[in-house]
Amino acid sequence: MWKANSHASTHPILLHYLIQVKKILFIQALFLVWTTLPAQTTEDCRLSLSGSVVDEHDKSSLSYATVYLIEPGKGAVADSSGLYRIQNLCKGKYTVVVRHVSCEPDTLVVQLNKNTSLNLFLEHHPEALQQITITGQTLQSSTNSDQETSVGLATLQQYSSRTLGDALAELPGVSSFKTGNSIVKPVIQGLYGTRIITVNHGVRMQDMEWGDEHSTMIDINSAGKVDLIKGGSALRYGGDAVAGLILVEPSSIPKDTLTGRTVLSGATNGWGGSITTEMVMSGKTGWYGKLQGTLKRFGDFRAPDYQLTNTGLFEKGISVMMGRQSEKGGFDGYYSLYDTDVAILAASHVGSIGDLVDAINNGEPQIVEDFSYHIGLPRQEVSHQLARFRWYGNTALGDWELQYDLQQNHRFEYDRRVGDDRDKPSIDLKLTTHSFSGNLRFNQENNLPLETGVVYRYQKNTANPETGIRRLIPDYDKYEIGAYLSGVYQAGNNLILDGGIRYDFMNIDALKFYRKSRWEERGYQDDFADIIVREYPTQLLTNPRFDYHNVAYTLGANLLVDQQTELRFNYAFTRRNPNPSELFSDGLHHGAARIELGDLRIGQESGHKLGLTFEQKKKDWNWNLGPYFKKIKDFIILEPTGVEYTIRGAFPVWEYFQRDALLWGIDGQLTANWSNDWQSSHIISYVYGQDTEENQPLINMPAPQFVNSVSFDGISWKSLKITLEGIYTFRQNRYPNNNFLVFIPETDSYEELDISTPPDAYLLLNLQAGAQFKVFNGNTLDARISINNLGNTRYRDYLNRLRYFADDLGRSFEFNLVFNY
């Protein structure tokens, strides 16, 4: 196999600029820390102010409230019991500002002549007092020190007819890994797949997320909020979150009421849309229930110059929640069904090697037909069911939680087949997962609240042999057990430290058939002869078994520089086991339009991450900056290596390898209020990925991106707001050259298959306008219209698997109606 040299570009000017930025950030960090160190005390400046921050109504403690003294620029964060203490104060008069989530800030003046104990009382927002807070977990889920962002309900509603991955791409440092336009996976700071833990309503998702063309099986309309933690510090859910954690949470439920919401969305590109509705009922005694459902339908989408034949979709979702909550605890149950039928671009499956070369090199799809709602071949049909029961409460020891959850993911992939097999799927996989977990957060009177928990998980994968095609993923049983311990320490008036450690054990026991030719090609006869169970004329039945032991840990700090400035630092060590796809893949993956080969020699990958966040919130502008550094040993990479011809056509061959890797980058965001009428937002993301063993760039690293938007809401009519957004995606100049020569029988010649070169840079303009109307006895209707890809720009995205065969989406006129009642 022929392989060209790397096309990596060093960009000396850019590198010099980034080096200078890193120096400035380092100096700034030192300056911020230095300015917060207490000055040398004198005899008159040894006083302290301490006490508790409590709820004015029920006198309960308000954990982690902030108490800030304006004159000296000093403050403290209360501990989990609401206790605070500020030291090294001089005699005099101070203005005290007290803040807490869901509370109105309070300001008071204190005369300090001696060590003073002062209890501070806060008034909760009226709406907060009348709500049942329903979350996926009763204990603290986020961190104090890691890089965190979130997507609120309003943004999720705007993406009602799209996917969770599309909505998360709004955040700094998050991009999308796509197969076409309907299968979308989030990418966090250059990493994706099983390196990201997704938690849906308190349940860690097990939905075959190891496939590049397997999107997250969550109905975006069932979420009220999505939190994103860019790192491995949320050890409660696992120690393998090399990239980060996505927390999907429901909305809070008003007490003693019956409410509902309907969202209707539509788009001209694909001539389809979605409708979702939910009803919520709750009583005075703490009982509540919620019912939600979604229907989504699109036909063939369109690029600027032609129809994208066979790209429609049909999705259905339903979720039910019921429970009871009281001061001493409660219980709840949750069930969801998400079903999707997605067509795969017809032009991505070709007949011969020559057709494959032509399809990739010609720049236009070979199959272009009139618009249709028909979902033809190839296509995917996937359903995911999730059921959870949770019981929680509090005792003298602390707050506790017990949970059982069940998930079943059933995937069919259909290809063009003839005869009696024409209606049979080529892939039929069923993944069933049972999980039991328990968590406890200890009551603490000191400054060190601790949380611990255990989990047991059993998973079974079944590959239906009736497909008549060699199974891509074999039958296997997987057993997991894990435990964690984490804590938060109040180290000073304005400094919080957090840390944790987790241990996991995993056993996987598989039964897999190998063709003898593949077995010998991979060299398994020398390393794995002992796993052969039975030999057939052309195949071997094997029983691979693997045990994995994982230890992960994290340590971080949160420094409150002043009332407006915060500095967070986090270090995390994570370790990830190879997933079934990386170990066992052996055949055509239809959604990705390629042949994938796993490797039984693939082992664990382990990573170190350092993350730093600067954040400042002013009256008229806010900014945050988040540089990060990751060093990953035995990083698992999927790369193209050649072409293989099958009875279903010619397809590129992609194989899994392990190499050491280095990633670093920076995420930044600035929002500014230029006047009462004009606001702007600016987001920048850059990631550098390097294969340090081969000394070449990592494949599939997101290109640098710069997002700018300007909004105008100076028209008083119906709260009208107009936003113009520009997304500039640079060309990815750092990539490995995996091009190779292929023999074309029709012409008796060799041609280069260009499977590496990234597409050009592009600019997308989006325009949106929204207003709110009062309808039907004071109910509200939020209406939005938007134009995506305003200029109908032709472009291809480096992280779209089907970019080899067609352009991305053209202009689309869209509407979104949210009716609250």
Side-chain angles (χ1 to χ4, degrees):
M1 183 185 70
W2 175 87
K3 192 171 184 179
N5 292 327
S6 172
H7 281 306
S9 174
T10 55
H11 291 300
I13 296 177
L14 176 60
L15 289 176
H16 174 74
Y17 172 76
L18 291 173
I19 290 172
Q20 298 304 316
V21 169
K22 289 198 294 183
K23 289 180 179 178
I24 293 171
L25 291 177
F26 180 74
I27 294 172
Q28 181 181 5
L30 291 179
F31 174 75
L32 291 175
V33 174
W34 175 77
T35 56
T36 59
L37 294 175
Q40 184 177 1
T41 59
T42 66
E43 184 175 354
D44 296 328
C45 296
R46 297 178 180 175
L47 303 181
S48 66
L49 178 66
S50 61
S52 299
V53 184
V54 298
D55 186 330
E56 186 172 6
H57 292 274
D58 60 13
K59 303 303 184 287
S60 61
S61 299
L62 297 179
S63 303
Y64 307 113
T66 61
V67 182
Y68 184 72
L69 306 183
I70 293 179
E71 288 78 7
K74 301 177 67 172
V77 178
D79 63 16
S80 60
S81 301
L83 301 176
Y84 75 94
R85 185 178 182 87
I86 306 173
Q87 297 177 309
N88 299 326
L89 297 175
C90 305
K91 291 183 179 179
K93 185 179 293 186
Y94 295 99
T95 305
V96 184
V97 180
V98 192
R99 297 179 183 273
H100 187 262
V101 177
S102 299
C103 296
E104 292 287 353
D106 192 20
T107 302
L108 66 157
V109 177
V110 176
Q111 178 65 45
L112 201 66
N113 297 317
K114 60 180 181 178
N115 292 336
T116 302
S117 177
L118 177 66
N119 291 335
L120 304 171
F121 298 89
L122 286 180
E123 170 87 19
H124 266 76
H125 291 305
E127 62 269 23
L129 292 172
Q130 300 301 319
Q131 289 183 344
I132 301 173
T133 302
I134 309 300
T135 63
Q137 61 284 319
T138 57
L139 310 186
Q140 184 178 347
S141 60
S142 60
T143 71
N144 291 293
S145 60
D146 219 338
Q147 299 171 327
E148 296 185 38
T149 50
S150 63
V151 178
L153 180 61
T155 301
L156 294 173
Q157 290 172 347
Q158 293 178 34
Y159 285 89
S160 177
S161 62
R162 288 191 263 176
T163 70
L164 178 63
D166 291 320
L168 288 171
E170 289 265 330
L171 302 175
V174 182
S175 48
S176 297
F177 194 89
K178 298 183 178 182
T179 300
N181 51 276
S182 303
I183 302 174
V184 183
K185 299 172 74 71
V187 180
I188 302 176
Q189 295 176 340
L191 302 177
Y192 58 91
T194 50
R195 297 182 180 96
I196 299 175
I197 294 178
T198 302
V199 178
N200 180 20
H201 288 66
V203 179
R204 175 168 174 167
M205 294 293 289
Q206 305 286 334
D207 54 358
M208 303 185 194
E209 71 276 14
W210 20 264
D212 286 346
E213 79 296 348
H214 300 177
S215 59
T216 304
M217 297 299 293
I218 297 176
D219 179 7
I220 189 174
N221 297 288
S222 66
K225 179 186 177 184
V226 180
D227 293 323
L228 176 70
I229 302 175
K230 302 174 186 176
S233 61
L235 296 178
R236 171 179 176 143
Y237 299 103
D240 53 347
V242 181
L245 173 73
I246 297 172
L247 283 172
V248 180
E249 298 284 6
S251 301
S252 296
I253 296 178
K255 282 186 178 179
D256 192 23
T257 188
L258 176 65
T259 62
R261 179 172 63 238
T262 298
V263 182
L264 181 65
S265 301
T268 59
N269 198 331
W271 293 108
S274 68
I275 180 171
T276 182
T277 189
E278 70 174 36
M279 296 294 296
V280 176
M281 181 176 64
S282 63
K284 295 180 180 179
T285 60
W287 283 96
Y288 59 87
K290 178 180 177 181
L291 176 65
Q292 177 266 335
T294 299
L295 282 176
K296 185 186 301 183
R297 186 77 164 97
F298 278 91
D300 291 338
F301 292 90
R302 182 176 176 81
D305 298 328
Y306 45 79
Q307 206 73 44
L308 299 171
T309 301
N310 198 51
T311 54
L313 64 94
F314 184 33
E315 293 183 3
K316 304 171 286 292
I318 187 171
S319 64
V320 181
M321 178 187 292
M322 181 175 293
R324 185 176 187 273
Q325 187 179 90
S326 67
E327 294 181 3
K328 295 184 178 181
F331 61 89
D332 63 29
Y334 177 77
Y335 171 81
S336 70
L337 168 64
Y338 184 64
D339 184 273
T340 179
D341 195 358
V342 182
I344 305 296
L345 181 71
S348 65
H349 285 219
V350 295
S352 68
I353 293 178
D355 292 338
L356 177 62
V357 173
D358 290 341
I360 292 179
N361 294 341
N362 286 348
E364 290 192 3
Q366 294 182 331
I367 301 175
V368 177
E369 299 175 357
D370 293 336
F371 173 86
S372 173
Y373 285 102
H374 176 65
I375 298 177
L377 301 173
R379 68 183 178 92
Q380 295 181 5
E381 184 178 329
V382 190
S383 67
H384 186 85
Q385 297 185 77
L386 183 155
R388 181 204 72 187
F389 180 78
R390 182 174 55 126
W391 185 30
Y392 55 91
N394 56 75
T395 65
L397 186 62
D399 298 328
W400 56 268
E401 173 187 287
L402 298 174
Q403 178 173 301
Y404 165 74
D405 55 80
L406 167 67
Q407 297 178 74
Q408 186 175 89
N409 191 270
H410 203 171
R411 167 175 290 272
F412 301 93
E413 295 188 7
Y414 295 86
D415 196 8
R416 300 186 185 97
R417 306 179 73 177
V418 296
D420 295 337
D421 293 334
R422 68 175 61 204
D423 296 325
K424 283 186 178 180
S426 299
I427 291 178
D428 180 353
L429 297 174
K430 182 183 289 186
L431 186 71
T432 303
T433 308
H434 302 265
S435 298
F436 302 85
S437 62
N439 299 280
L440 174 66
R441 183 173 64 193
F442 294 96
N443 289 330
Q444 293 287 333
E445 298 299 331
N446 54 36
N447 286 345
L448 185 60
L450 296 175
E451 181 180 325
T452 187
V454 296
V455 63
Y456 170 77
R457 183 175 293 117
Y458 167 69
Q459 183 176 95
K460 183 177 185 64
N461 184 73
T462 304
N464 187 356
E466 299 300 321
T467 61
I469 293 177
R470 188 171 67 256
R471 286 167 275 189
L472 178 68
I473 303 294
D475 294 350
Y476 69 80
D477 294 291
K478 187 169 71 170
Y479 306 86
E480 296 178 76
I481 187 168
Y484 76 95
L485 176 68
S486 63
V488 180
Y489 177 65
Q490 184 80 40
N493 291 334
N494 54 356
L495 179 63
I496 296 178
L497 303 177
D498 63 14
I501 187 169
R502 181 181 177 107
Y503 168 78
D504 290 277
F505 169 77
M506 188 184 87
N507 167 267
I508 187 166
D509 188 345
L511 280 175
K512 177 171 175 58
F513 284 94
Y514 280 96
R515 289 183 303 174
K516 287 184 176 179
S517 58
R518 184 77 78 190
W519 182 265
E520 294 171 359
E521 172 195 302
R522 309 297 289 175
Y524 290 158
Q525 66 273 14
D526 298 326
D527 298 333
F528 299 101
D530 59 329
I531 70 172
I532 298 175
V533 175
R534 185 174 299 174
E535 184 173 352
Y536 297 90
T538 60
Q539 296 187 98
L540 298 172
L541 176 61
T542 65
N543 181 206
R545 298 179 181 178
F546 300 99
D547 291 335
Y548 300 100
H549 298 269
N550 285 357
V551 175
Y553 47 88
T554 181
L555 181 65
N558 183 311
L559 178 65
L560 183 66
V561 179
D562 55 40
Q563 188 66 11
Q564 299 173 327
T565 308
E566 187 176 356
L567 176 64
R568 297 193 296 273
F569 168 81
N570 182 267
Y571 163 76
F573 173 79
T574 56
R575 180 170 287 159
R576 184 180 74 90
N577 301 324
N579 63 51
S581 180
E582 294 160 345
L583 289 170
F584 305 125
S585 286
D586 183 18
L588 177 62
H589 219 158
H590 297 79
R594 67 191 181 201
I595 293 170
E596 296 181 3
L597 298 178
D599 194 330
L600 294 177
R601 302 179 185 89
I602 294 287
Q604 295 169 302
E605 68 176 26
S606 54
H608 302 265
K609 180 188 175 181
L610 296 173
L612 189 64
T613 303
F614 302 92
E615 185 171 4
Q616 191 169 69
K617 297 180 179 181
K618 299 274 189 181
K619 177 181 179 182
D620 294 324
W621 56 274
N622 303 324
W623 66 270
N624 64 76
L625 203 61
Y628 57 90
F629 174 88
K630 303 177 185 179
K631 185 177 182 181
I632 304 176
K633 181 176 177 56
D634 297 324
F635 185 71
I636 302 174
I637 305 173
L638 181 62
E639 290 184 326
T641 58
V643 172
E644 191 169 303
Y645 189 80
T646 73
I647 60 173
R648 296 187 296 281
F651 296 93
V653 177
W654 291 62
E655 298 186 42
Y656 287 98
F657 301 96
Q658 278 191 290
R659 306 198 187 103
D660 293 344
L662 176 69
L663 294 92
W664 61 265
I666 191 166
D667 304 325
Q669 183 172 19
L670 170 68
T671 58
N673 296 316
W674 301 102
S675 69
N676 292 332
D677 303 332
W678 292 93
Q679 304 88 37
S680 68
S681 174
H682 314 272
I683 297 174
I684 188 169
S685 299
Y686 177 83
V687 58
Y688 172 100
Q690 182 75 1
D691 178 343
T692 57
E693 288 190 25
E694 297 292 325
N695 194 28
Q696 65 180 9
L698 287 174
I699 193 171
N700 292 331
M701 287 292 104
Q705 192 174 73
F706 194 24
V707 181
N708 297 281
S709 66
V710 59
S711 300
F712 175 73
D713 59 1
I715 302 175
S716 59
W717 182 78
K718 305 300 182 183
S719 303
L720 178 65
K721 184 175 183 178
I722 302 172
T723 301
L724 176 65
E725 179 186 58
I727 304 174
Y728 186 80
T729 302
F730 294 79
R731 184 179 186 273
Q732 178 55 280
N733 292 316
R734 302 195 73 261
Y735 63 95
N737 190 329
N738 292 307
N739 296 345
F740 45 82
L741 293 177
V742 295
F743 179 72
I744 312 297
E746 294 85 352
T747 61
D748 193 29
S749 63
Y750 285 89
E751 290 193 32
E752 183 182 42
L753 184 64
D754 187 356
I755 207 167
S756 304
T757 305
D760 293 333
Y762 60 89
L763 171 65
L764 298 181
L765 296 177
N766 303 316
L767 181 65
Q768 181 185 106
Q772 186 177 86
F773 303 87
K774 295 289 185 180
V775 294
F776 305 127
N777 301 321
N779 296 316
T780 61
L781 174 66
D782 296 326
R784 301 182 188 90
I785 56 173
S786 59
I787 308 175
N788 292 328
N789 194 358
L790 183 64
N792 205 29
T793 302
R794 291 185 58 182
Y795 73 99
R796 300 192 182 195
D797 192 277
Y798 180 56
L799 293 186
N800 193 326
R801 285 294 189 186
L802 301 186
R803 65 179 172 85
Y804 307 110
F805 307 103
D807 292 335
D808 225 301
L809 297 185
R811 183 189 296 117
S812 181
F813 295 86
E814 304 183 6
F815 73 87
N816 181 266
L817 303 175
V818 181
F819 182 37
N820 298 290
Y821 46 90

